[in-house]
Amino acid sequence: MGASRNRLIALGLVLSVASKAVAGVLPDQAGSQGTKGNQGKEPLNPGFETGNLQGWQVVSGDAFGNKSVTDTASYWGGPFHQDQKYFIWGITQAGEAAVGELKSSSFRARSVMSFLVGGGYDPVKLYVGLVRDSDNQLLLKQTGTNDEALIRITWDTSKWAGQLVHVVIHDSSTSESWGHINFDDLRVGPHALSDGDGLTFQVIGQANQPAHNPAACSLYAADPLRPQYHYTPYQGWINDPSGLVQWKGRHHLFSQFYPDAPMWGPMHWSHVASTDAVHWREQPVALSPPSTNMPGDQSGRFTGSAMVRGSELDLVFTDFTDAATHPGAIQQSVAAASSSDGINFTLYPRNPVIPGPAPSFPIDFRDPKVFYDKTDNSWKLVIGATNGTQGQVQLYRSTDGGPYSWSHVGVLHTGDGTTGSPWECPNLLPLGDKWVLFYGGNSLAWYETGTYNGSVFTSEKRGLVDAGPASYAMQWYKDESGRDLAISWMGNWPTSKWPTRVNGWAGQQSITRELFLREDGGLGSRPIAELDSLASGPAKNLGRLQVGEHTRRIGDGNTARVKLTVNLGETSASAFTLAVFESRAESTLVSYDVGSRTLALDTTNGGYGQAGKWEAVLAKPHNGKLTLDIFLDRGILEVFAGDGTVMSATVWPRYKQSTGISLVGRNGTVAVGAASVIPLGSSWC
Ligand SMILES: *[C@@H]1O[C@H](CO)[C@@H](O)[C@H](O)[C@H]1NC(C)=O
Ligand SMILES: *[C@@H]1O[C@H](CO)[C@@H](O)[C@H](O)[C@H]1NC(C)=O
Ligand SMILES: *[C@@H]1O[C@H](CO)[C@@H](O)[C@H](O)[C@H]1NC(C)=O
Ligand SMILES: *[C@@H]1O[C@H](CO)[C@@H](O)[C@H](O)[C@H]1NC(C)=O
Ligand SMILES: *[C@@H]1O[C@H](CO)[C@@H](O)[C@H](O)[C@H]1NC(C)=O
């Protein structure tokens, strides 16, 4: 672990030098050098469009050969995004485990270059490297993302402009999983930055990561993939929100966290705090994995929740022990930690507080969520489990009025087979005149609304917490004013892609939402009012207008909020589409079909992220007014419909110009009652 931490620190230093060039200087520099560098040698067959490795040299191993060059357009997870026809797919010559190195012809460096990379994440064993011919020095490196699809990486090479260099595609990974690297379209000079027609690539890649400076309000502004007002880790990986609480006025958001790589690993808890649940401030890591001397030990502090007890703030969480390195250990138990300052958490010395599942229950037993149960005035916790075939939630009751002693009440609820097994991250709360149980199962976030008598939950209605692809492990908390708030992980294992791994980080949390019971008895979400404070300038208000079949640009921005009210009674169109993150090359579409009341999200041509289509049928709007409240944040979006339906997605546009926001009607006109586009700023300022 120490070695990889050093690697990140080393990267940070190298990258901070390059970061100045990233914020817009790069294109001009490249342009001004455009003709001067042109007498130099250009790389041969830079996009493999000969259909083979002509012009490239196999330096070593058998990982690369003519069979590496393929014209396959898509894989199980979507399109490869290659340039033109051919590219290098690192498994097609000799499989995952093969090793080798491929070398380009020699070319003269100019101030900038770019290329497409995909395949395994391993900064040491899988990378595209820039090597100087004269001394064979490796000048820059870029690894993959554990995704097949290709992402454009841009390098500032002004330091070496004029020198002879070459590119190596290096694979010394023998791993049978993500042991290969993909490559395409090497570009040198101004052409590296744009795709013609005025479209310029986002400048991304590990060599462009801005230096970490927690004091700087502009933190993250230089990384074009970085959300500005959704919590992300500076480096490393986050997943489930944990320990959500408002305590002594401040909101606390902890996240499952692995600091050493943008990948899941031994779990820590990262920590940010806020006075308004919008503007976050970094806090020290709250929980770290137990120290270990076993290589590959994945033990760590899994998802859990917070409990306020007098002047103490307690955390109750799953302690995960890796059975592969600790044979015979109970894998999932419940542990506690407490703090008197909300910063420094001390593990309870007599952990675990629940040693494992009750006798005869399977080992899956995780993500305890504590709540105060007014049905019998006690602290309780729900925990995700399985009965072997069906997802299940187990219920426990505190016997000491605190986090240290729990008795098993019984099975709160068992699934009927349609929502997966085991269940994870359960939450139980009273809302309106119902109780809501929500949980993760089958890699989707489900809610059930119904009744609860202090020991058993009876379901009346079920649905998805979020109708989009990027939501899992939502956690609820009641704030000091009594609102029911929630934050969800904007990620999900089967559908998510993490192109931001090229910049060293992965994962983001949703904005803070307020939960409410919808009129149809389902679980609804709306953005909290405090989010209004993110406005960084005046709203562009369009007022009433009729939009027909000619696309109408209503605004511009990729860090913005779009509010739209449509008077359906005066609308003759059968449907309308709002395009966001739009340029000539790509866009993300939010459509509404008036007849079927279907809200649809289409990210098929959105960018590097999840490509697909998702739908939800909305409730019949009041007074015939449909409202949409849409949050755009660099590469991600959250769509809130007036009835409480929410759709979240991660899109990651490929071009800087993909900031358009436009509206179009189908077969008639759309009667817009009001439309506004509000520029939003950073939650770190
Ligand atoms: C690839 O095929 C070309 C054309 O047949 C051949 O000249 C070349 O040697 C081959 N390269 C490799 C690495 O096998
Ligand atoms: C954290 O709390 C523990 C226990 O109260 C204490 O021993 C330790 O000094 C504290 N550390 C810091 C940095 O405050
Ligand atoms: C799990 O629960 C379901 C629903 O109650 C039941 O049908 C099934 O038999 C249970 N499975 C086991 C292994 O107990
Ligand atoms: C709650 O409901 C269950 C199932 O109907 C029943 O077995 C249990 O006794 C009830 N508990 C209380 C406290 O009423
Ligand atoms: C709507 O317009 C499209 C062309 O834009 C046309 O193909 C379609 O038939 C029309 N549908 C109706 C119901 O008018």
Side-chain angles (χ1 to χ4, degrees):
M1 205 181 286
S4 53
R5 211 170 258 140
N6 287 340
R7 173 179 52 72
L8 273 177
I9 291 165
L11 263 179
L13 290 178
V14 174
L15 306 184
S16 65
V17 179
S19 68
K20 284 193 198 69
V22 176
V25 189
L26 210 48
D28 302 339
Q29 262 181 3
S32 68
Q33 295 221 352
T35 47
K36 204 173 16 166
N38 216 11
Q39 304 112 0
K41 290 161 80 178
E42 300 286 337
L44 298 173
N45 198 16
F48 311 97
E49 295 308 323
T50 58
N52 62 16
L53 288 183
Q54 196 182 307
W56 292 73
Q57 186 193 336
V58 173
V59 179
S60 63
D62 59 0
F64 301 103
N66 275 332
K67 278 193 274 178
S68 303
V69 179
T70 174
D71 62 357
T72 310
S74 62
Y75 68 102
W76 52 269
F80 276 105
H81 290 308
Q82 73 258 45
D83 181 78
Q84 297 181 64
K85 191 166 180 190
Y86 291 102
F87 71 104
I88 297 249
W89 188 5
I91 58 171
T92 49
Q93 177 73 26
E96 285 283 3
V99 299
E101 190 169 284
L102 184 65
K103 176 184 171 179
S104 75
S105 65
S106 176
F107 59 93
R108 204 168 289 285
R110 297 164 71 176
S111 58
V112 65
M113 60 183 280
S114 75
F115 55 87
L116 294 167
V117 71
Y121 173 91
D122 186 334
V124 176
K125 294 182 178 160
L126 294 168
Y127 59 85
V128 176
L130 180 68
V131 178
R132 178 159 52 199
D133 288 6
S134 60
D135 58 2
N136 228 29
Q137 192 188 332
L138 183 58
L139 305 172
L140 290 169
K141 282 166 80 170
Q142 175 66 53
T143 189
T145 60
N146 277 14
D147 186 27
E148 298 290 8
L150 296 150
I151 294 175
R152 182 159 302 272
I153 303 300
T154 304
W155 280 343
D156 176 357
T157 49
S158 47
K159 271 187 283 189
W160 307 289
Q163 300 181 20
L164 286 174
V165 294
H166 60 272
V167 158
V168 291
I169 302 167
H170 177 96
D171 175 356
S172 53
S173 170
T174 55
S175 177
E176 286 286 3
S177 168
W178 293 117
H180 70 279
I181 184 158
N182 308 338
F183 181 85
D184 194 17
D185 197 31
L186 175 59
R187 299 183 180 205
V188 182
H191 164 65
L193 295 170
S194 78
D195 223 4
D197 274 0
L199 290 179
T200 48
F201 302 119
Q202 307 273 27
V203 174
I204 55 178
Q206 65 191 58
N208 301 304
Q209 182 74 359
H212 193 202
N213 180 358
C217 153
S218 59
L219 179 68
Y220 301 156
D223 173 349
L225 298 183
R226 179 79 74 172
Q228 299 298 291
Y229 59 87
H230 287 80
Y231 169 63
T232 57
Y234 165 65
Q235 290 274 274
W237 162 275
I238 58 164
N239 55 293
D240 307 358
S242 293
L244 298 186
V245 69
Q246 188 180 14
W247 182 64
K248 297 184 178 173
R250 296 212 305 167
H251 299 260
H252 294 264
L253 162 60
F254 304 86
S255 301
Q256 290 284 282
F257 177 47
Y258 181 57
D260 290 359
M263 312 292 290
W264 191 89
M267 279 291 121
H268 302 57
W269 281 35
S270 74
H271 184 195
V272 287
S274 171
T275 53
D276 61 2
V278 174
H279 293 85
W280 299 105
R281 293 293 171 265
E282 293 272 7
Q283 307 294 317
V285 168
L287 297 174
S288 296
S291 60
T292 181
N293 50 18
M294 315 245 223
D297 188 346
Q298 301 286 320
S299 301
R301 316 299 182 186
F302 277 12
T303 305
S305 53
M307 175 175 185
V308 172
R309 181 174 49 106
S311 61
E312 294 276 303
L313 178 60
D314 301 308
L315 303 177
V316 179
F317 54 92
T318 298
D319 221 6
F320 172 71
T321 305
D322 186 349
T325 46
H326 303 269
I330 292 174
Q331 285 188 45
Q332 295 171 14
S333 63
V334 178
S338 32
S339 175
S340 54
D341 60 7
I343 298 170
N344 177 20
F345 290 85
T346 307
L347 292 170
Y348 178 52
R350 294 201 294 280
N351 275 333
V353 297
I354 304 176
S360 85
F361 284 98
I363 58 166
D364 290 295
F365 182 68
R366 55 182 173 270
D367 316 326
K369 174 68 176 96
V370 176
F371 65 105
Y372 191 75
D373 186 353
K374 286 190 177 153
T375 60
D376 60 4
N377 293 317
S378 67
W379 285 100
K380 295 241 176 74
L381 70 75
V382 285
I383 187 163
T386 172
N387 76 349
T389 56
Q390 308 299 347
Q392 200 163 58
V393 176
Q394 298 278 354
L395 185 68
Y396 285 75
R397 183 178 198 270
S398 167
T399 54
D400 64 355
Y404 303 133
S405 177
W406 299 89
S407 68
H408 186 218
V409 177
V411 175
L412 176 82
H413 189 55
T414 302
D416 63 6
T418 56
T419 59
S421 175
W423 285 349
E424 303 182 301
C425 306
N427 284 237
L428 179 67
L429 65 147
L431 201 60
D433 57 359
K434 295 290 177 191
W435 281 78
V436 180
L437 174 68
F438 64 82
Y439 54 86
N442 258 349
S443 294
L444 288 167
W446 302 93
Y447 74 77
E448 305 197 25
T449 52
T451 58
Y452 165 69
N453 69 0
S455 57
V456 168
F457 173 83
T458 306
S459 178
E460 294 169 352
K461 183 181 176 68
R462 182 169 63 208
L464 289 173
V465 167
D466 190 308
S471 179
Y472 196 71
M474 184 165 83
Q475 188 168 92
W476 151 78
Y477 70 112
K478 202 175 254 309
D479 76 355
E480 288 173 348
S481 69
R483 292 181 302 177
D484 294 296
L485 306 184
I487 294 177
S488 87
W489 176 42
M490 293 191 73
N492 199 345
W493 291 104
T495 54
S496 286
K497 296 187 132 201
W498 289 285
T500 65
R501 281 177 174 150
V502 299
N503 283 358
W505 61 274
Q508 52 282 320
Q509 307 298 20
S510 74
I511 55 173
T512 308
R513 301 163 174 187
E514 183 174 357
L515 303 179
F516 63 96
L517 202 62
R518 297 192 321 226
E519 282 176 17
D520 69 354
L523 178 64
S525 306
R526 64 170 82 97
I528 57 167
E530 288 90 331
L531 287 154
D532 288 350
S533 67
L534 281 171
S536 63
K540 182 182 175 198
N541 292 308
L542 287 109
R544 290 175 69 90
L545 70 148
Q546 297 280 330
V547 177
E549 293 170 51
H550 293 289
T551 299
R552 165 105 182 214
R553 184 97 161 197
I554 63 166
D556 194 74
N558 63 9
T559 310
R561 182 173 183 177
V562 184
K563 290 186 181 179
L564 186 68
T565 303
V566 173
N567 296 325
L568 295 173
E570 299 160 27
T571 292
S572 63
S574 59
F576 66 85
T577 297
L578 183 77
V580 296
F581 299 130
E582 182 187 37
S583 66
R584 270 196 307 285
E586 58 194 357
S587 64
T588 293
L589 308 175
V590 179
S591 302
Y592 181 75
D593 184 90
V594 178
S596 66
R597 299 199 313 264
T598 303
L599 183 70
L601 172 67
D602 182 349
T603 62
T604 309
N605 190 29
Y608 289 127
Q610 300 146 327
K613 294 179 186 177
W614 293 270
E615 289 185 353
V617 175
L618 303 188
K620 198 169 182 295
H622 279 290
N623 316 320
K625 285 187 200 302
L626 173 79
T627 62
L628 296 176
D629 191 356
I630 300 177
F631 288 78
L632 310 175
D633 196 2
R634 291 287 178 90
I636 62 183
L637 89 158
E638 290 179 73
V639 179
F640 295 87
D643 72 342
T645 299
V646 54
M647 280 185 167
S648 306
T650 58
V651 175
W652 318 116
R654 287 174 285 163
Y655 295 91
K656 284 184 183 165
Q657 288 76 18
S658 301
T659 60
I661 302 166
S662 69
L663 190 63
V664 66
R666 196 194 311 146
N667 301 12
T669 59
V670 191
V672 174
S676 63
V677 177
I678 306 159
L680 299 186
S682 167
S683 60
W684 300 98
C685 293

